[in-house]
Amino acid sequence: MEADAYTALPNRRPATAVAHDWVTTVDHKQIGILYIVASCFFLTLGGLEALLMRLQLWMPDLEIVSPQTFNQLFTMHGTTMIFFVVMPVEAGMANYLVPLMIGARDMAFPRLNAFGFWMFLFGGFLLYFSYFGAMGLYGAGSAPDIGWYAYAPLTSPAFSRGNSTDYWLLGTMISGVGSVSFAVNMIATIITMRAPGMRLSMMPLFAWMILVTSGLIVFAFPPFTAAEIMMLFDRHLGAHFFDTQAGGDGLLWQHLFWFFGHPEVYILALPAFGIVSEVIPVFSRKVIFGYASMVAATVSIGFIAMGVWAHHMFTVGMSSTIDLFFSAATFLIAVPTGIKMFNWTATLYGGRIRLTVPMLFSLGFLSLFLIGGLTGIMLAIVPMDWQLSDSYFLIGHFHFVAFGGIFFAVMSAYYYWYPKAIGRKMNRKLGLWHFWLQFIGFNLTFIPMHFSGILGMPRRVYTYKAGVGLEFWNQVTTVGAIITGISLLFFIVNLWYSYFYGEEAGDDPWNAWTLEWATTSPPPAYNFEELPVVKSRRPLWDLKHPDDPDWKHE
């Protein structure tokens, strides 16, 4: 009977067979989509946690959630957004796009690629399982409440009873193994599997950014994993690495954490730089300005990012010489970042700009990341950092970089490459609603945080007293957060609507120049019927304009 039913519907496969294909896949494109879908799931959780915090801070002395729950909310929100939203969505885009961009049929190690994804997902599920099982035999579940920095001695058994901190350590450690697997695989793929003729100096800038990002992951994650193992030893085996009273050093955790934590900012930011470096030239109808300097700036950022970790620690009492060194190093990293800003602006200058939705998000990235970068320079000034460290000013600055910069670029990527993955364009009207609501909501949320921080509001605070001038700024922030949440609803509706009813995209809907647009939308299992031969940085331009190819001028 069942066989007859399937005979009547020859193109419809059982859901179990489809699910089996997805969970056992080693195809880089499907793994990329799995990363992106999983990050959307965690984004929903992290976004709801943020909204709950903002509602709690709407008025002075509110008690919508308890202080303990508030501590758990900001811990889970920060950890989720860093490790389980931004990193995986960019890893997903890299998985999907890099092999296509460099003219490869798949990743160098397809099974390692799948292993990396499942390790990331298991780490995320383990972190959230703490809500059910963290206290173990001691009672009901409890999420970690140690902040996403997990500073010692707050994480010691004396101050963190039960097992919630262990879930944080194990969840982030396991997902970190997945990240290193991704990075090693990506380096091997880019180095060894480029299309015939594609020298490193011809690679798309997105691939360059992913290559440097992968190098940062390989160097930054192992020290963090070692620190987490040391922390587990402290908690369960009687070690005292971070126990100052027993001869250990609490600051050692901060050094090890930030040796990972600061490069992590660029692990998140560099793929965003790569995205806008692909989008802006296409919608300006110009070659990217200063390709060589963009690559040099990226590599420079990679090196300098490994040497500025202690600028997060100006207030812990290091010597003035060390403060001066890390302050200067932080100023130095502004130079290659400034080169990138200049080159993107120079690419726009004189271009035939098309204000498509992906272009709007890239322009939003430029303006918001610039503000985040400038406030970062302010915090690199040691006396100013002493005044503003651990205040809401810092929260505003960080979100201008991570949300205003990186998240806007990620949204640009969604709208730009969705037609390649699905075969249909995303709806423009819904996209415009999404962009403007997100842009307005974002600014209403995070600009006031700078003022509340200057007025003295500390970060992670559960509530505040009336009459100290913080009500207005917190209420504007909460309204902005709600508008931002609504904007994401437009995005989700757009994803669904465009999947079924979007305009047919064709193979190259934006008249772009990189190799992913040379194959069908969506691409076939092995990407290209024949591996393309590359002669310049814009292989599709060469194909479309054989009378004036780029390789004659490069």
Side-chain angles (χ1 to χ4, degrees):
M1 191 67 182
E2 290 181 359
D4 290 340
Y6 293 139
T7 303
L9 296 169
N11 294 325
R12 188 169 183 176
R13 302 176 62 214
T16 52
V18 174
H20 179 270
D21 285 352
W22 278 94
V23 299
T24 59
T25 185
V26 293
D27 180 88
H28 74 94
K29 298 181 291 297
Q30 286 185 298
I31 291 172
I33 291 173
L34 287 173
Y35 267 113
I36 293 168
V37 171
S39 73
C40 288
F41 167 74
F42 286 113
L43 173 64
T44 305
L45 298 177
L48 290 174
E49 288 156 358
L51 283 175
L52 270 175
M53 284 190 286
R54 289 316 316 168
L55 290 175
Q56 165 63 29
L57 294 170
W58 170 254
M59 292 283 287
D61 299 320
L62 276 183
E63 291 190 9
I64 294 175
V65 297
S66 68
Q68 179 71 13
T69 301
F70 192 85
N71 292 347
Q72 294 168 348
L73 285 174
F74 70 66
T75 299
M76 296 297 279
H77 170 73
T79 307
T80 300
M81 300 304 282
I82 295 292
F83 291 98
F84 302 107
V85 176
V86 181
M87 274 195 78
V89 73
E90 292 179 336
M93 290 175 178
N95 255 291
Y96 196 99
L97 293 169
V98 168
L100 289 167
M101 282 182 161
I102 63 172
R105 295 201 183 281
D106 206 329
M107 297 284 283
F109 307 109
R111 285 176 174 76
L112 180 64
N113 200 22
F115 171 80
F117 166 75
W118 290 109
M119 291 297 282
F120 139 72
L121 189 63
F122 179 62
F125 284 165
L126 187 62
L127 177 70
Y128 272 87
F129 185 73
S130 62
Y131 272 111
F132 305 100
M135 298 297 286
L137 297 177
Y138 302 105
S142 175
D145 58 356
I146 50 177
W148 82 274
Y149 302 166
Y151 277 171
L154 192 60
T155 47
S156 68
F159 298 104
S160 179
R161 307 295 295 271
N163 301 110
S164 60
T165 295
D166 302 318
Y167 277 84
W168 186 91
L169 291 167
L170 291 171
T172 54
M173 187 189 306
I174 290 170
S175 71
V177 172
S179 298
V180 173
S181 303
F182 157 82
V184 170
N185 207 355
M186 196 57 73
I187 292 171
T189 302
I190 292 173
I191 296 298
T192 65
M193 297 180 67
R194 298 190 306 279
M198 180 181 277
R199 300 190 301 271
L200 283 174
S201 59
M202 292 180 181
M203 279 204 311
L205 284 173
F206 181 76
W208 259 111
M209 305 293 173
I210 296 299
L211 179 62
V212 176
T213 300
S214 300
L216 282 174
I217 291 174
V218 169
F219 282 104
F221 268 74
F224 180 48
T225 303
E228 290 182 311
I229 293 171
M230 292 160 69
M231 181 74 76
L232 286 171
F233 281 6
D234 272 15
R235 289 180 54 80
H236 295 285
L237 297 179
H240 300 286
F241 291 109
F242 308 116
D243 184 355
T244 306
Q245 290 184 323
D249 187 352
L251 285 185
L252 176 61
W253 170 265
Q254 292 197 33
H255 280 292
L256 290 171
F257 179 86
W258 286 116
F259 188 76
F260 146 80
H262 191 77
E264 171 71 5
V265 174
Y266 290 95
I267 289 169
L268 303 178
L270 286 178
F273 293 173
I275 291 166
V276 297
S277 298
E278 299 299 331
V279 171
I280 287 177
V282 168
F283 296 115
S284 300
R285 307 314 297 165
K286 285 180 64 183
V287 182
I288 187 78
F289 183 88
Y291 174 94
S293 62
M294 290 289 272
V295 173
T298 304
V299 176
S300 301
I301 287 173
F303 278 108
I304 300 172
M306 298 299 297
V308 296
W309 75 91
H311 75 198
H312 296 272
M313 301 167 58
F314 286 149
T315 57
V316 303
M318 299 184 298
S319 72
S320 56
T321 305
I322 295 176
D323 284 352
L324 183 63
F325 172 82
F326 283 102
S327 176
T330 307
F331 280 113
L332 187 62
I333 206 168
V335 175
T337 308
I339 289 172
K340 287 179 176 294
M341 293 295 297
F342 174 78
N343 285 359
W344 290 321
T345 307
T347 305
L348 289 165
Y349 182 74
R352 287 180 287 135
I353 295 173
R354 288 186 287 167
L355 290 178
T356 61
V357 178
M359 184 64 160
L360 285 173
F361 273 103
S362 283
L363 295 177
F365 160 88
L366 284 186
S367 58
L368 300 176
F369 189 82
L370 176 63
I371 296 172
L374 292 176
T375 52
I377 293 295
M378 292 167 67
L379 290 169
I381 303 169
V382 177
M384 185 167 284
D385 184 80
W386 285 345
Q387 297 298 319
L388 297 173
S389 181
D390 278 336
S391 75
Y392 257 74
F393 186 94
L394 187 64
I395 304 294
H397 152 70
F398 179 75
H399 282 84
F400 257 87
V401 173
F403 195 149
I406 299 166
F407 202 71
F408 269 71
V410 166
M411 286 300 166
S412 176
Y414 269 113
Y415 284 92
Y416 183 60
W417 281 296
Y418 184 90
K420 176 51 59 181
I422 305 300
R424 295 177 184 273
K425 284 185 176 180
M426 293 184 75
N427 183 273
R428 176 176 166 80
K429 285 185 179 178
L430 288 171
L432 290 175
W433 273 100
H434 171 204
F435 170 76
W436 285 112
L437 283 174
Q438 183 171 311
F439 191 79
I440 293 168
F442 171 86
N443 283 290
L444 283 177
T445 304
F446 297 109
I447 287 178
M449 286 187 179
H450 294 82
F451 294 105
S452 53
I454 291 172
L455 290 172
M457 184 168 173
R459 68 192 307 186
R460 306 190 185 102
V461 68
Y462 159 71
T463 189
Y464 50 92
K465 292 296 180 186
V468 295
L470 296 176
E471 293 94 330
F472 172 74
W473 298 115
N474 275 288
Q475 288 170 0
V476 173
T477 297
T478 302
V479 170
I482 294 171
I483 294 174
T484 303
I486 294 171
S487 76
L488 293 178
L489 293 179
F490 276 87
F491 171 63
I492 293 169
V493 170
N494 202 351
L495 287 176
W496 173 84
Y497 177 84
S498 301
Y499 183 84
F500 292 103
Y501 307 109
E503 177 188 349
E504 295 281 351
D507 296 343
D508 184 13
W510 308 120
N511 193 16
W513 303 310
T514 40
L515 282 181
E516 74 271 26
W517 304 104
T519 187
T520 59
S521 302
Y526 285 91
N527 295 347
F528 303 97
E529 290 186 9
E530 294 183 9
L531 289 181
V533 177
V534 176
K535 294 183 177 179
S536 78
R537 293 171 192 149
R538 298 195 301 172
L540 260 67
W541 174 275
D542 296 342
L543 286 175
K544 295 171 185 173
H545 303 277
D547 53 325
D548 187 28
D550 272 2
W551 56 266
K552 284 188 176 180
H553 309 290
E554 288 183 356

PDB file of all heavy atoms in Angstrom, residues 225-245:
ATOM      1  N   THR A 225      41.039  26.365  25.255  1.00  0.00           N
ATOM      2  CA  THR A 225      40.677  25.002  25.667  1.00  0.00           C
ATOM      3  C   THR A 225      41.539  24.548  26.838  1.00  0.00           C
ATOM      4  O   THR A 225      41.043  23.929  27.803  1.00  0.00           O
ATOM      5  CB  THR A 225      40.848  24.039  24.475  1.00  0.00           C
ATOM      6  OG1 THR A 225      40.048  24.505  23.390  1.00  0.00           O
ATOM      7  CG2 THR A 225      40.423  22.622  24.850  1.00  0.00           C
ATOM      8  N   ALA A 226      42.841  24.865  26.783  1.00  0.00           N
ATOM      9  CA  ALA A 226      43.725  24.502  27.894  1.00  0.00           C
ATOM     10  C   ALA A 226      43.275  25.177  29.186  1.00  0.00           C
ATOM     11  O   ALA A 226      43.266  24.549  30.261  1.00  0.00           O
ATOM     12  CB  ALA A 226      45.160  24.902  27.550  1.00  0.00           C
ATOM     13  N   ALA A 227      42.892  26.453  29.091  1.00  0.00           N
ATOM     14  CA  ALA A 227      42.431  27.167  30.282  1.00  0.00           C
ATOM     15  C   ALA A 227      41.161  26.528  30.847  1.00  0.00           C
ATOM     16  O   ALA A 227      40.999  26.416  32.073  1.00  0.00           O
ATOM     17  CB  ALA A 227      42.172  28.638  29.931  1.00  0.00           C
ATOM     18  N   GLU A 228      40.276  26.090  29.955  1.00  0.00           N
ATOM     19  CA  GLU A 228      39.041  25.457  30.424  1.00  0.00           C
ATOM     20  C   GLU A 228      39.338  24.122  31.115  1.00  0.00           C
ATOM     21  O   GLU A 228      38.709  23.781  32.129  1.00  0.00           O
ATOM     22  CB  GLU A 228      38.097  25.255  29.245  1.00  0.00           C
ATOM     23  CG  GLU A 228      37.541  26.562  28.713  1.00  0.00           C
ATOM     24  CD  GLU A 228      36.570  26.352  27.560  1.00  0.00           C
ATOM     25  OE1 GLU A 228      36.912  25.617  26.626  1.00  0.00           O
ATOM     26  OE2 GLU A 228      35.475  26.912  27.593  1.00  0.00           O
ATOM     27  N   ILE A 229      40.293  23.380  30.586  1.00  0.00           N
ATOM     28  CA  ILE A 229      40.678  22.122  31.247  1.00  0.00           C
ATOM     29  C   ILE A 229      41.283  22.414  32.620  1.00  0.00           C
ATOM     30  O   ILE A 229      40.992  21.729  33.613  1.00  0.00           O
ATOM     31  CB  ILE A 229      41.663  21.346  30.350  1.00  0.00           C
ATOM     32  CG1 ILE A 229      40.950  20.874  29.075  1.00  0.00           C
ATOM     33  CG2 ILE A 229      42.249  20.149  31.101  1.00  0.00           C
ATOM     34  CD1 ILE A 229      41.873  20.276  28.030  1.00  0.00           C
ATOM     35  N   MET A 230      42.115  23.460  32.702  1.00  0.00           N
ATOM     36  CA  MET A 230      42.688  23.847  33.998  1.00  0.00           C
ATOM     37  C   MET A 230      41.573  24.225  34.978  1.00  0.00           C
ATOM     38  O   MET A 230      41.628  23.891  36.162  1.00  0.00           O
ATOM     39  CB  MET A 230      43.655  25.014  33.793  1.00  0.00           C
ATOM     40  CG  MET A 230      44.917  24.629  33.016  1.00  0.00           C
ATOM     41  SD  MET A 230      45.764  26.059  32.278  1.00  0.00           S
ATOM     42  CE  MET A 230      46.392  26.890  33.721  1.00  0.00           C
ATOM     43  N   MET A 231      40.554  24.916  34.463  1.00  0.00           N
ATOM     44  CA  MET A 231      39.439  25.293  35.326  1.00  0.00           C
ATOM     45  C   MET A 231      38.694  24.060  35.841  1.00  0.00           C
ATOM     46  O   MET A 231      38.306  23.993  37.024  1.00  0.00           O
ATOM     47  CB  MET A 231      38.471  26.199  34.549  1.00  0.00           C
ATOM     48  CG  MET A 231      37.273  26.680  35.332  1.00  0.00           C
ATOM     49  SD  MET A 231      37.715  27.963  36.513  1.00  0.00           S
ATOM     50  CE  MET A 231      37.904  29.376  35.422  1.00  0.00           C
ATOM     51  N   LEU A 232      38.517  23.077  34.967  1.00  0.00           N
ATOM     52  CA  LEU A 232      37.867  21.837  35.406  1.00  0.00           C
ATOM     53  C   LEU A 232      38.726  21.129  36.460  1.00  0.00           C
ATOM     54  O   LEU A 232      38.193  20.551  37.416  1.00  0.00           O
ATOM     55  CB  LEU A 232      37.623  20.928  34.197  1.00  0.00           C
ATOM     56  CG  LEU A 232      36.479  21.358  33.268  1.00  0.00           C
ATOM     57  CD1 LEU A 232      36.481  20.513  31.995  1.00  0.00           C
ATOM     58  CD2 LEU A 232      35.130  21.234  33.973  1.00  0.00           C
ATOM     59  N   PHE A 233      40.044  21.177  36.287  1.00  0.00           N
ATOM     60  CA  PHE A 233      40.936  20.597  37.300  1.00  0.00           C
ATOM     61  C   PHE A 233      40.750  21.315  38.638  1.00  0.00           C
ATOM     62  O   PHE A 233      40.723  20.679  39.692  1.00  0.00           O
ATOM     63  CB  PHE A 233      42.397  20.713  36.847  1.00  0.00           C
ATOM     64  CG  PHE A 233      42.812  19.669  35.843  1.00  0.00           C
ATOM     65  CD1 PHE A 233      41.891  18.786  35.305  1.00  0.00           C
ATOM     66  CD2 PHE A 233      44.134  19.566  35.437  1.00  0.00           C
ATOM     67  CE1 PHE A 233      42.272  17.824  34.381  1.00  0.00           C
ATOM     68  CE2 PHE A 233      44.532  18.602  34.516  1.00  0.00           C
ATOM     69  CZ  PHE A 233      43.589  17.740  33.981  1.00  0.00           C
ATOM     70  N   ASP A 234      40.657  22.641  38.582  1.00  0.00           N
ATOM     71  CA  ASP A 234      40.429  23.405  39.818  1.00  0.00           C
ATOM     72  C   ASP A 234      39.125  22.991  40.483  1.00  0.00           C
ATOM     73  O   ASP A 234      39.058  22.838  41.700  1.00  0.00           O
ATOM     74  CB  ASP A 234      40.364  24.905  39.488  1.00  0.00           C
ATOM     75  CG  ASP A 234      41.738  25.554  39.511  1.00  0.00           C
ATOM     76  OD1 ASP A 234      42.734  24.820  39.504  1.00  0.00           O
ATOM     77  OD2 ASP A 234      41.804  26.804  39.528  1.00  0.00           O
ATOM     78  N   ARG A 235      38.108  22.811  39.674  1.00  0.00           N
ATOM     79  CA  ARG A 235      36.776  22.571  40.229  1.00  0.00           C
ATOM     80  C   ARG A 235      36.591  21.140  40.745  1.00  0.00           C
ATOM     81  O   ARG A 235      35.843  20.908  41.683  1.00  0.00           O
ATOM     82  CB  ARG A 235      35.705  22.868  39.158  1.00  0.00           C
ATOM     83  CG  ARG A 235      35.541  24.347  38.845  1.00  0.00           C
ATOM     84  CD  ARG A 235      34.477  24.584  37.771  1.00  0.00           C
ATOM     85  NE  ARG A 235      33.204  23.973  38.103  1.00  0.00           N
ATOM     86  CZ  ARG A 235      32.319  24.490  38.938  1.00  0.00           C
ATOM     87  NH1 ARG A 235      32.570  25.663  39.509  1.00  0.00           N
ATOM     88  NH2 ARG A 235      31.186  23.867  39.194  1.00  0.00           N
ATOM     89  N   HIS A 236      37.300  20.173  40.132  1.00  0.00           N
ATOM     90  CA  HIS A 236      36.970  18.783  40.469  1.00  0.00           C
ATOM     91  C   HIS A 236      38.158  17.949  40.935  1.00  0.00           C
ATOM     92  O   HIS A 236      37.958  16.880  41.503  1.00  0.00           O
ATOM     93  CB  HIS A 236      36.336  18.097  39.247  1.00  0.00           C
ATOM     94  CG  HIS A 236      35.024  18.700  38.865  1.00  0.00           C
ATOM     95  ND1 HIS A 236      33.868  18.482  39.580  1.00  0.00           N
ATOM     96  CD2 HIS A 236      34.692  19.546  37.854  1.00  0.00           C
ATOM     97  CE1 HIS A 236      32.864  19.159  39.026  1.00  0.00           C
ATOM     98  NE2 HIS A 236      33.344  19.808  37.980  1.00  0.00           N
ATOM     99  N   LEU A 237      39.383  18.397  40.674  1.00  0.00           N
ATOM    100  CA  LEU A 237      40.530  17.569  41.024  1.00  0.00           C
ATOM    101  C   LEU A 237      41.448  18.241  42.039  1.00  0.00           C
ATOM    102  O   LEU A 237      42.578  17.783  42.252  1.00  0.00           O
ATOM    103  CB  LEU A 237      41.321  17.214  39.751  1.00  0.00           C
ATOM    104  CG  LEU A 237      40.555  16.380  38.717  1.00  0.00           C
ATOM    105  CD1 LEU A 237      41.428  16.124  37.489  1.00  0.00           C
ATOM    106  CD2 LEU A 237      40.097  15.059  39.316  1.00  0.00           C
ATOM    107  N   GLY A 238      40.997  19.312  42.650  1.00  0.00           N
ATOM    108  CA  GLY A 238      41.781  19.937  43.717  1.00  0.00           C
ATOM    109  C   GLY A 238      42.962  20.750  43.246  1.00  0.00           C
ATOM    110  O   GLY A 238      43.843  21.076  44.054  1.00  0.00           O
ATOM    111  N   ALA A 239      43.025  21.072  41.967  1.00  0.00           N
ATOM    112  CA  ALA A 239      44.095  21.951  41.494  1.00  0.00           C
ATOM    113  C   ALA A 239      43.786  23.400  41.910  1.00  0.00           C
ATOM    114  O   ALA A 239      42.663  23.712  42.321  1.00  0.00           O
ATOM    115  CB  ALA A 239      44.236  21.846  39.981  1.00  0.00           C
ATOM    116  N   HIS A 240      44.785  24.271  41.796  1.00  0.00           N
ATOM    117  CA  HIS A 240      44.587  25.657  42.227  1.00  0.00           C
ATOM    118  C   HIS A 240      45.206  26.632  41.234  1.00  0.00           C
ATOM    119  O   HIS A 240      45.841  27.602  41.617  1.00  0.00           O
ATOM    120  CB  HIS A 240      45.212  25.860  43.609  1.00  0.00           C
ATOM    121  CG  HIS A 240      44.627  24.981  44.660  1.00  0.00           C
ATOM    122  ND1 HIS A 240      43.371  25.171  45.208  1.00  0.00           N
ATOM    123  CD2 HIS A 240      45.121  23.858  45.245  1.00  0.00           C
ATOM    124  CE1 HIS A 240      43.124  24.240  46.093  1.00  0.00           C
ATOM    125  NE2 HIS A 240      44.159  23.407  46.142  1.00  0.00           N
ATOM    126  N   PHE A 241      45.027  26.344  39.943  1.00  0.00           N
ATOM    127  CA  PHE A 241      45.600  27.233  38.934  1.00  0.00           C
ATOM    128  C   PHE A 241      45.113  28.671  39.097  1.00  0.00           C
ATOM    129  O   PHE A 241      45.874  29.615  38.932  1.00  0.00           O
ATOM    130  CB  PHE A 241      45.243  26.742  37.528  1.00  0.00           C
ATOM    131  CG  PHE A 241      45.910  25.456  37.132  1.00  0.00           C
ATOM    132  CD1 PHE A 241      45.179  24.278  37.024  1.00  0.00           C
ATOM    133  CD2 PHE A 241      47.271  25.407  36.881  1.00  0.00           C
ATOM    134  CE1 PHE A 241      45.784  23.091  36.648  1.00  0.00           C
ATOM    135  CE2 PHE A 241      47.898  24.227  36.514  1.00  0.00           C
ATOM    136  CZ  PHE A 241      47.149  23.060  36.393  1.00  0.00           C
ATOM    137  N   PHE A 242      43.846  28.825  39.414  1.00  0.00           N
ATOM    138  CA  PHE A 242      43.252  30.168  39.456  1.00  0.00           C
ATOM    139  C   PHE A 242      42.822  30.559  40.869  1.00  0.00           C
ATOM    140  O   PHE A 242      42.061  31.513  41.044  1.00  0.00           O
ATOM    141  CB  PHE A 242      42.046  30.224  38.508  1.00  0.00           C
ATOM    142  CG  PHE A 242      42.376  29.747  37.112  1.00  0.00           C
ATOM    143  CD1 PHE A 242      41.769  28.613  36.588  1.00  0.00           C
ATOM    144  CD2 PHE A 242      43.312  30.414  36.341  1.00  0.00           C
ATOM    145  CE1 PHE A 242      42.071  28.161  35.304  1.00  0.00           C
ATOM    146  CE2 PHE A 242      43.632  29.974  35.068  1.00  0.00           C
ATOM    147  CZ  PHE A 242      43.017  28.845  34.542  1.00  0.00           C
ATOM    148  N   ASP A 243      43.276  29.831  41.855  1.00  0.00           N
ATOM    149  CA  ASP A 243      42.913  30.094  43.246  1.00  0.00           C
ATOM    150  C   ASP A 243      44.043  30.884  43.904  1.00  0.00           C
ATOM    151  O   ASP A 243      45.054  30.313  44.316  1.00  0.00           O
ATOM    152  CB  ASP A 243      42.663  28.765  43.968  1.00  0.00           C
ATOM    153  CG  ASP A 243      42.191  28.986  45.394  1.00  0.00           C
ATOM    154  OD1 ASP A 243      42.151  30.159  45.835  1.00  0.00           O
ATOM    155  OD2 ASP A 243      41.869  27.992  46.068  1.00  0.00           O
ATOM    156  N   THR A 244      43.870  32.194  44.015  1.00  0.00           N
ATOM    157  CA  THR A 244      44.930  33.055  44.544  1.00  0.00           C
ATOM    158  C   THR A 244      45.282  32.704  45.985  1.00  0.00           C
ATOM    159  O   THR A 244      46.450  32.738  46.381  1.00  0.00           O
ATOM    160  CB  THR A 244      44.484  34.531  44.457  1.00  0.00           C
ATOM    161  OG1 THR A 244      44.108  34.820  43.118  1.00  0.00           O
ATOM    162  CG2 THR A 244      45.605  35.456  44.871  1.00  0.00           C
ATOM    163  N   GLN A 245      44.298  32.329  46.792  1.00  0.00           N
ATOM    164  CA  GLN A 245      44.548  32.020  48.202  1.00  0.00           C
ATOM    165  C   GLN A 245      45.412  30.775  48.380  1.00  0.00           C
ATOM    166  O   GLN A 245      46.049  30.594  49.415  1.00  0.00           O
ATOM    167  CB  GLN A 245      43.220  31.838  48.935  1.00  0.00           C
ATOM    168  CG  GLN A 245      42.448  33.136  49.097  1.00  0.00           C
ATOM    169  CD  GLN A 245      41.189  32.941  49.898  1.00  0.00           C
ATOM    170  OE1 GLN A 245      40.522  31.914  49.786  1.00  0.00           O
ATOM    171  NE2 GLN A 245      40.855  33.926  50.727  1.00  0.00           N
TER     172      GLN A 245
END
